[in-house]
Amino acid sequence: IFFNIIDMQNWQQIAANANLPKADHKLISMSIVRGAIYLLWFPALGGVLLGCAMRALGPNLTDHSLFPSAFQAILPGASDALRGLVLGIIILGFLATSLSTLGDLLMSAVQTLSSDILWTDKVRQLLDTDDKKAQNALIQRARSMMIPVVVAMVLTFYFLWKAYPGPVFNFQAMMY
């Protein structure tokens, strides 16, 4: 749900609909809440329910045999190459989703730093003028902040990884 709050698409939707009548603001906010529920339901709760269903199908399943058993149930007569191809597509889908989320987080961080913290007055002044050269210069300054923000994010996650060693994708420890 937290991702949905900082998702750039929601903020763009709010900004694009800022001139709507007050009565329509409730519809916009409800669509954002509905999007947060979908983000919670489909990947999180849906994945948990699917995992519980797989555990119920085979009581002898372990963490290491869960994926092969799932692919045997879904693709019963398929070869190992086809199962590997399907698994590769799923992993690439997860990677694409993660990169999209990372891009949204990066753009949110840079936009917050540039327009809300560092250059608040400058941004407000440029929004009221038609000085394209000054606007482009400010955009270039904001874009130049992307690399330091990325380096700060990578270092933060590296130090967290060093501070809490163990499997990288073991999210159960964070959930409890």
Side-chain angles (χ1 to χ4, degrees), residues 85-99:
L85 180 66
V86 170
L87 183 61
I89 290 171
I90 290 171
I91 289 173
L92 287 175
F94 287 143
L95 181 65
T97 303
S98 299
L99 289 176

CSV table of all heavy atoms in Angstrom, one decimal, residues 85-99:
chain,number,residue,atom,x,y,z
A,85,LEU,N,11.6,-22.1,-19.8
A,85,LEU,CA,11.2,-20.9,-20.6
A,85,LEU,C,10.1,-20.1,-19.9
A,85,LEU,O,10.2,-18.9,-19.7
A,85,LEU,CB,10.8,-21.3,-22.0
A,85,LEU,CG,10.3,-20.2,-22.9
A,85,LEU,CD1,11.5,-19.3,-23.2
A,85,LEU,CD2,9.7,-20.7,-24.2
A,86,VAL,N,9.1,-20.9,-19.4
A,86,VAL,CA,8.0,-20.2,-18.6
A,86,VAL,C,8.5,-19.6,-17.4
A,86,VAL,O,8.2,-18.5,-17.0
A,86,VAL,CB,6.9,-21.3,-18.3
A,86,VAL,CG1,5.9,-20.7,-17.4
A,86,VAL,CG2,6.2,-21.7,-19.6
A,87,LEU,N,9.4,-20.3,-16.6
A,87,LEU,CA,10.0,-19.8,-15.4
A,87,LEU,C,10.8,-18.5,-15.7
A,87,LEU,O,10.8,-17.5,-15.0
A,87,LEU,CB,10.9,-20.8,-14.7
A,87,LEU,CG,11.5,-20.4,-13.4
A,87,LEU,CD1,10.4,-20.0,-12.4
A,87,LEU,CD2,12.4,-21.5,-12.8
A,88,GLY,N,11.6,-18.5,-16.8
A,88,GLY,CA,12.3,-17.4,-17.3
A,88,GLY,C,11.5,-16.2,-17.6
A,88,GLY,O,11.8,-15.0,-17.2
A,89,ILE,N,10.3,-16.4,-18.2
A,89,ILE,CA,9.4,-15.3,-18.5
A,89,ILE,C,8.8,-14.7,-17.2
A,89,ILE,O,8.7,-13.5,-17.0
A,89,ILE,CB,8.3,-15.8,-19.4
A,89,ILE,CG1,8.8,-16.1,-20.8
A,89,ILE,CG2,7.1,-14.8,-19.5
A,89,ILE,CD1,7.9,-16.7,-21.8
A,90,ILE,N,8.5,-15.6,-16.2
A,90,ILE,CA,8.0,-15.2,-14.9
A,90,ILE,C,9.0,-14.3,-14.2
A,90,ILE,O,8.8,-13.3,-13.7
A,90,ILE,CB,7.5,-16.4,-14.1
A,90,ILE,CG1,6.2,-16.9,-14.7
A,90,ILE,CG2,7.2,-15.9,-12.7
A,90,ILE,CD1,5.8,-18.2,-14.1
A,91,ILE,N,10.3,-14.8,-14.2
A,91,ILE,CA,11.4,-14.1,-13.5
A,91,ILE,C,11.6,-12.8,-14.2
A,91,ILE,O,11.8,-11.7,-13.5
A,91,ILE,CB,12.6,-15.0,-13.4
A,91,ILE,CG1,12.4,-16.1,-12.4
A,91,ILE,CG2,13.8,-14.1,-13.0
A,91,ILE,CD1,13.5,-17.1,-12.4
A,92,LEU,N,11.6,-12.7,-15.5
A,92,LEU,CA,11.8,-11.5,-16.2
A,92,LEU,C,10.6,-10.5,-15.9
A,92,LEU,O,10.8,-9.3,-15.8
A,92,LEU,CB,11.9,-11.7,-17.7
A,92,LEU,CG,13.3,-12.3,-18.1
A,92,LEU,CD1,13.3,-12.6,-19.6
A,92,LEU,CD2,14.4,-11.4,-17.8
A,93,GLY,N,9.4,-11.0,-15.7
A,93,GLY,CA,8.3,-10.2,-15.4
A,93,GLY,C,8.5,-9.6,-14.0
A,93,GLY,O,8.2,-8.4,-13.8
A,94,PHE,N,9.0,-10.4,-13.0
A,94,PHE,CA,9.3,-9.9,-11.7
A,94,PHE,C,10.4,-8.8,-11.8
A,94,PHE,O,10.3,-7.8,-11.1
A,94,PHE,CB,9.7,-11.0,-10.7
A,94,PHE,CG,8.6,-11.9,-10.3
A,94,PHE,CD1,8.8,-13.2,-10.1
A,94,PHE,CD2,7.3,-11.4,-10.0
A,94,PHE,CE1,7.8,-14.0,-9.7
A,94,PHE,CE2,6.3,-12.2,-9.6
A,94,PHE,CZ,6.5,-13.5,-9.4
A,95,LEU,N,11.4,-9.0,-12.6
A,95,LEU,CA,12.5,-8.1,-12.8
A,95,LEU,C,12.0,-6.8,-13.4
A,95,LEU,O,12.3,-5.7,-12.9
A,95,LEU,CB,13.6,-8.7,-13.6
A,95,LEU,CG,14.8,-7.8,-13.9
A,95,LEU,CD1,15.5,-7.5,-12.6
A,95,LEU,CD2,15.7,-8.5,-14.9
A,96,ALA,N,11.1,-6.9,-14.4
A,96,ALA,CA,10.5,-5.7,-15.0
A,96,ALA,C,9.7,-4.9,-14.0
A,96,ALA,O,9.8,-3.7,-14.0
A,96,ALA,CB,9.7,-6.1,-16.2
A,97,THR,N,8.9,-5.6,-13.2
A,97,THR,CA,8.1,-4.9,-12.2
A,97,THR,C,9.0,-4.2,-11.2
A,97,THR,O,8.7,-3.1,-10.8
A,97,THR,CB,7.2,-6.0,-11.5
A,97,THR,OG1,6.4,-6.6,-12.5
A,97,THR,CG2,6.3,-5.3,-10.5
A,98,SER,N,10.1,-4.9,-10.8
A,98,SER,CA,11.0,-4.3,-9.8
A,98,SER,C,11.7,-3.1,-10.4
A,98,SER,O,11.8,-2.1,-9.7
A,98,SER,CB,12.0,-5.3,-9.4
A,98,SER,OG,11.4,-6.4,-8.8
A,99,LEU,N,12.1,-3.1,-11.6
A,99,LEU,CA,12.7,-2.0,-12.2
A,99,LEU,C,11.7,-0.8,-12.4
A,99,LEU,O,12.1,0.4,-12.2
A,99,LEU,CB,13.3,-2.3,-13.6
A,99,LEU,CG,14.6,-3.2,-13.5
A,99,LEU,CD1,15.0,-3.6,-14.9
A,99,LEU,CD2,15.7,-2.5,-12.7
